[in-house]
Amino acid sequence: MGTTARTAVTALHRGRAVDPGRVLAGPLLGVGLSWLEPDDALDLTSDGVEHALYVTGGSGLAGSDGADVPLAEGTAVTLPLGGRLTLTAGPDGLEYFHAVLAVPRGAS
């Protein structure tokens, strides 16, 4: 009795990020649907956070430690603590769902 619902419904569109801390108490710091223009690149590092990505459209490459892995719709990529990754969009661009997760202090 007396509890307040903290449910939120948010439409995700390209470039729109959401702060899940408004309704969730877990380690999720941010979520959003992102877009890279054709041939654009984005460098990600996991310093104090981890990343999870799910490709929703287009194509590209995920590069780390000199190796490139092709990305296509339906591909998931995780970047654990201390990792580095470069996303490079293909000729049609790259759309992906991106979640950023907090890492508890002392985790390694």
Side-chain angles (χ1 to χ4, degrees):
M1 295 176 33
T3 60
T4 303
R6 295 186 342 153
T7 302
V9 176
T10 305
L12 295 177
H13 298 285
R14 289 184 181 161
R16 173 106 192 255
V18 175
D19 175 7
R22 296 179 301 139
V23 294
L24 301 174
L28 194 57
L29 295 177
V31 295
L33 191 60
S34 297
W35 173 258
L36 281 177
E37 293 292 332
D39 303 316
D40 277 358
L42 173 69
D43 292 321
L44 294 173
T45 58
S46 287
D47 296 326
V49 297
E50 294 180 321
H51 299 271
L53 301 106
Y54 180 79
V55 177
T56 55
S59 64
L61 296 172
S64 180
D65 296 326
D68 289 329
V69 176
L71 299 174
E73 187 174 337
T75 305
V77 177
T78 56
L79 186 57
L81 188 62
R84 294 186 180 282
L85 179 76
T86 300
L87 293 178
T88 304
D92 297 323
L94 181 69
E95 181 183 69
Y96 58 97
F97 181 81
H98 185 186
V100 181
L101 300 105
V103 176
R105 290 184 188 262
S108 54

